Amino acid sequence: MPKLSVNLSGGFGCRDTAGASIAVPTRKARAMVAYLAMHPGKEYSREKLADLLWADKSDAQARANLRKTLSRLRGALPNDCAGCLVTNLKSVAFHADAVHGHAERSDLHAERGRDAERDRRVRGEPEEEVQRLDLDRTEVPVQ
């Protein structure tokens, strides 16, 4: 049975097995939880996560921000969820059996499309180059 339930339908929600809400500390931490929860067990490189979440920062600053965010996230998780987040020097993941992520894919796809179009227009980029996580909405890209 999963120890964490992450619901992205209608906004971000994270709960433990007892149903108690878990306060994930920052927007970036919520975005990372959402991203990882949609594919539990899949390892994402620290480099990819840092670039995804802090694309506007230098590599060194993005890596430092990722380390700080992971530390805050570990502190926010209840003791029985301590093993849910699996990290090493190269990657980050949620343990495959520890997390259940739920999102209405049609809602995410529609929102992502609107956000990508807005970003593309603002930056003057071709549509196919816009593939970023909208951190204000804390949503996960549909793959």
Side-chain angles (χ1 to χ4, degrees):
M1 176 175 201
K3 293 183 179 187
L4 285 177
S5 176
V6 179
N7 187 346
L8 303 174
S9 298
F12 180 87
C14 186
R15 299 191 176 278
D16 63 14
T17 53
S21 182
I22 297 171
V24 179
T26 65
R27 286 184 315 145
K28 301 285 183 153
R30 289 189 295 273
M32 185 168 46
V33 167
Y35 192 73
L36 296 173
M38 294 314 298
H39 302 283
K42 181 173 180 178
E43 293 182 5
Y44 291 93
S45 74
R46 285 176 175 256
E47 180 180 342
K48 177 179 175 135
L49 289 173
D51 185 51
L52 182 67
L53 295 167
W54 294 279
D56 61 329
K57 303 291 183 194
S58 69
D59 288 345
Q61 184 63 54
R63 286 191 307 270
N65 289 347
L66 178 63
R67 286 190 301 272
K68 186 172 185 174
T69 298
L70 286 168
S71 177
R72 285 180 170 175
L73 181 56
R74 281 188 204 100
L77 294 175
N79 290 337
D80 66 333
C81 297
C84 294
L85 186 64
V86 180
T87 62
N88 60 41
L89 293 176
K90 299 210 180 259
S91 64
V92 178
F94 271 129
H95 191 277
D97 298 329
V99 177
H100 170 73
H102 174 73
E104 293 295 327
R105 288 195 170 290
S106 59
D107 291 346
L108 290 176
H109 183 70
E111 288 295 326
R112 181 173 181 242
R114 285 191 295 270
D115 294 338
E117 177 63 23
R118 179 199 65 224
D119 290 346
R120 182 188 64 74
R121 284 192 314 265
V122 168
R123 289 191 302 266
E125 296 176 356
E127 187 173 343
E128 61 273 8
E129 291 182 19
V130 178
Q131 295 183 10
R132 68 173 56 238
L133 184 61
D134 184 343
L135 300 173
D136 290 331
R137 297 190 186 283
T138 319
E139 294 175 352
V140 179
V142 178
Q143 296 183 8

